[in-house]
Amino acid sequence: MGQLADAIRDLQEELVYGLVDRKIQEKIPPLDLIQECNQGMVQVGELFSQKKYFISQLIFSAEIFKNVMKKINPLLEGGSRNDRPCHTVVIGTVKGDIHDIGKNIAGTFLRGAGFEVMDLGVDVPPEKFVQAVGQSHARAVGLSALLNFTYPDMKSVVDRFAAEGLRDQVKIIIGGAPVNEAVRQFTGADYYANDAVAGVNLCKKIYALE
Ligand code: B12
């Protein structure tokens, strides 16, 4: 792990901001910065599992990461914004889960790639995803979840689209660190994405842009 990941793990807020500023000046790609911060967050999670960190430290780590993203976001937002106004992607964190840092990053990357993003926020019940697709006619839906006990809630969203007769009209991507092919199969989603770039590539595929 690099110095930045270590600083996040150790919750050394000022050191983190200083390192991020320096790396931005050195033109380190934003994605590399995010990935290194992510490694630090995984370590924070490990320390929490080992009961060496408590919920307050989880909250603080999220605060630090959100401030880091305020520095990185302007680098991501330029791109080809609004180039594809009709290509909407509905995103949200599923019911029971309030983790939103990764979902927000996925949204920023999608906007940077020119997609219109309808972000429903966190703790989103299945019917809201269905309503949003009804309003926007989006063909791509991205579900975020970081808690393994919310996999059934991802499945409920997929099932809800089927119950409403809309399953064939949308492709559903599940995202978040813990998702994999087995979770995709369990939920009945079309794709899974472990990072924001994979999400963008899948949405391009769904809209047949590449
Ligand atoms: C910060 C954090 C929190 C913060 C979240 C703040 C916020 N606003 O998001 C707070 C303090 C609220 C929190 C709460 C809890 N947390 Co927490 N949290 C974390 C931590 C440390 C970091 C998560 C994070 O932001 N990572 C950084 C982002 C950038 O990474 P990411 O989310 O993976 O996103 C990337 C990809 O996954 C992907 N992606 C994500 N979503 C999507 C969506 C789409 C569509 C696409 C395409 C891509 C995509 O793109 C992103 C960028 O590449 C993780 C540790 C970990 N290993 O992840 C634990 C972790 C997720 N939390 C955990 C737990 C247990 C909890 C609590 C239950 C604790 C408690 N006892 O109360 C609560 C649950 C609250 C709830 N109901 O949601 C566990 C989950 C374990 C499990 N097996 O399910 C973890 C893994 C920690 C651990 N090792 O124990 N947490």
Side-chain angles (χ1 to χ4, degrees):
M1 276 209 325
Q3 209 189 348
L4 176 57
D6 287 346
I8 296 240
R9 178 200 58 205
D10 299 338
L11 306 173
Q12 289 181 285
E13 186 179 18
E14 293 308 323
L15 179 60
V16 170
Y17 302 150
L19 287 169
V20 169
D21 287 340
R22 204 180 75 202
K23 283 172 186 274
I24 289 175
Q25 273 173 6
E26 287 168 357
K27 307 235 177 308
I28 303 290
L31 191 60
D32 291 356
L33 279 177
I34 293 173
Q35 270 164 354
E36 202 184 337
C37 291
N38 217 336
Q39 288 171 2
M41 294 300 266
V42 170
Q43 292 300 312
V44 170
E46 298 287 309
L47 290 165
F48 177 74
S49 308
Q50 295 161 14
K51 304 206 176 355
K52 291 183 182 149
Y53 274 0
F54 301 98
I55 193 78
S56 53
Q57 276 118 337
L58 274 194
I59 294 170
F60 188 39
S61 71
E63 196 61 36
I64 296 174
F65 204 141
K66 287 200 169 186
N67 288 331
V68 166
M69 285 315 297
K70 281 186 196 154
K71 292 175 185 286
I72 297 179
N73 274 337
L75 307 176
L76 301 172
E77 280 164 359
S80 46
R81 212 180 173 139
N82 291 333
D83 279 2
R84 304 183 181 123
C86 303
H87 296 148
T88 304
V89 184
V90 170
I91 60 169
T93 302
V94 297
K95 193 166 178 336
D97 196 330
I98 59 165
H99 294 86
D100 67 353
I101 297 176
K103 184 258 304 162
N104 294 345
I105 293 175
T108 304
F109 270 71
L110 285 164
R111 286 190 192 96
F115 289 95
E116 186 82 34
V117 175
M118 198 168 173
D119 185 346
L120 306 180
V122 297
D123 192 22
V124 181
E127 60 273 18
K128 281 221 171 153
F129 285 101
V130 174
Q131 277 166 16
V133 165
Q135 278 168 24
S136 64
H137 305 290
R139 275 161 42 207
V141 176
L143 310 179
S144 184
L146 285 214
L147 300 170
N148 53 14
F149 52 85
T150 54
Y151 298 159
D153 297 279
M154 289 183 143
K155 183 174 182 333
S156 299
V157 178
V158 178
D159 291 348
R160 186 69 183 237
F161 275 103
E164 302 280 342
L166 293 168
R167 186 66 187 90
D168 293 341
Q169 290 177 35
V170 285
K171 294 288 182 201
I172 302 177
I173 305 169
I174 55 170
V179 300
N180 55 31
E181 176 56 22
V183 182
R184 187 201 67 75
Q185 281 184 21
F186 168 76
T187 58
D190 298 288
Y191 305 106
Y192 74 93
N194 293 121
D195 63 54
V197 174
V200 167
N201 289 335
L202 287 168
C203 289
K204 285 183 178 168
K205 183 168 150 180
I206 292 165
Y207 277 105
L209 299 169
E210 271 178 4

